[in-house]
Amino acid sequence: MADLFLRIADDGQSVLFAANADNQSVPTRELLIEQLISLGAEKFYFYEKAIDSALAVTIRDDEPSPETAYPEPIVIAERRNASLVVKTDSDFMRAAITVTAPYGGNHATGADILEALKQNRIVKGIRKTQLHQLLQRAQSLQPGEKLTLPVAFGRLPENGVDVRFESLVDDASQRILKPQATDDGKVDMRDLGELITVRAGQTLMRRIPATEGVAGFTVEGKALPAKPGKDSEFQPGDGTIISEQDSNLLLAEKSGIPVAKPRGMQVDEALTLKGVNVATGHINFDGSILITGDVTPGMKVTASGNITVAGFVELAELKAGGDISIIKGIIGRKLEGNKLGCTIEAAGSVTSKFAQFADITCGQNALFTLHVLHSTIHAEGEVIVMDQFKRQGSLSGGVTEAGYSIRAINLGALSGVPTVVTAFTKFECLLQQLQDKHHDYQVELQNVEKIKQAKLKLLKLPEHRRPVELSERINNAAEQHKSQIDLLHADYQQLRGEYDELRSRVTITALNRLYAGVQSCLEKEHLLITQDHGPSKLHIFEHVFQCSPL
């Protein structure tokens, strides 16, 4: 029978190797492993180097010395409980626990995990389901095997939503873009509905207040404040009033034509005409104008409100302080000096079925459902040439400039007609705002530096010669400038973020066909299309203006 070289320590937590004078054999690694198993310590943590040392000292010389013959007991294995390591991401938005399975010791308990989280200051976003999963899976681990699971999650703040003003009445432009459905469910492209009027007391617009947003937090419990949405009140126009029962509703105070404004509406007196021609003469009206027929060549129509034309506008001039909606279309022709014979100018949007050889300027969007041919368009908003079903809408020839995006079904022409499109013309205005804000920020920094210099001069004076009022004024000024710097910095970051987001979203899009000959520009970048493409978008990606398939 082999000698017994191992024994369990008195505390039961380790295995000791001890050789003595009674041992008649030399231990081997295999023998020690067998004895560990017989002692029930096969799951203990083994000290490999200690085993090597134990084996080495038992190789006896022919005449061993008393000092080396019977060495002190050597710990070669020990019982270890499960261990826990908590790690958090650099932004403290997630915390994970790594469990190392025990070596013959106790498994981790729920209390152990909670204590580890507490010691690492993880107090928010702890998921009980993750903790249960960690405990269950840890039970099946082999000694020393590791398992890592995320158990706590922070929450990013949800910024508030800006106030919205929802129009509750249609306008003529919406009717043009959405023909009326017939009784059998089909769409009659010629039936664009009745002209829009409202009656006194009718609800025109609903104000949907801004929200405060939802604050976030890190796993350490640090609050991440949410940015509240921008709020603003109604700006009731002429002929409208805020409801006494609900301050978020805007009502018509009289009957007339509704004119949408950014934060409200106005109701204009309506001048209704069967047509504008040599019999009526030029029209100039303070309010909105409804023309149920055509505007014939050479005529001029001016209104402070909206202009709605149920027929055609041919070789005429229209100017409106609101929107211009032309149901059938805009017809012009090229005159001497490359002038176009039809001029449309609106402070709001321009909407029509089609436009050809026309000069169109608008303060908001330019919207067409059929085509735009050889025209010049300057829109502060978007230019869109497509019907509601996205089946037709061609933009070819001429020059089109949009403050933001340009979208059409087909862009350019099969014949290679030169077509110039420029998107995101607003970038210069936005960059100027950024530069102005940065300049203001630099000025405030200079002011703070001047105050620092003033403080240093004051500190050089003996304390009894320092004017108390001057010290207070300097301190107050320093606080005011510091506060202003913080505000300017926040405003600059917000403007920068809005600019970068816009720059990434603005596109020139052809949903069906992009033809060769299109000369495109977005911001300061230019791109000439030299071959035909299918559905495509022109956009800036990774600082490169490029054409990408949709």
Side-chain angles (χ1 to χ4, degrees), residues 462-511:
E463 189 172 351
H464 66 278
R465 292 182 57 191
R466 298 174 193 167
V468 177
E469 293 182 359
L470 179 59
S471 296
E472 291 179 352
R473 284 202 305 271
I474 290 175
N475 290 331
N476 290 337
E479 288 297 323
Q480 290 175 4
H481 286 298
K482 184 178 182 303
S483 176
Q484 188 66 14
I485 283 174
D486 292 340
L487 288 173
L488 288 170
H489 181 70
D491 289 346
Y492 179 84
Q493 293 298 327
Q494 179 181 341
L495 284 173
R496 184 78 228 184
E498 292 174 354
Y499 174 80
D500 291 339
E501 181 182 358
L502 271 175
R503 192 171 186 266
S504 67
R505 288 194 292 110
V506 170
T507 62
I508 299 170
T509 304
L511 295 181

Side-chain angles (χ1 to χ4, degrees), residues 451-464:
I451 290 173
K452 285 182 179 178
Q453 296 300 325
K455 274 188 173 182
L456 289 174
K457 289 182 180 179
L458 193 62
L459 290 172
K460 290 179 180 179
L461 296 175
E463 189 172 351
H464 66 278

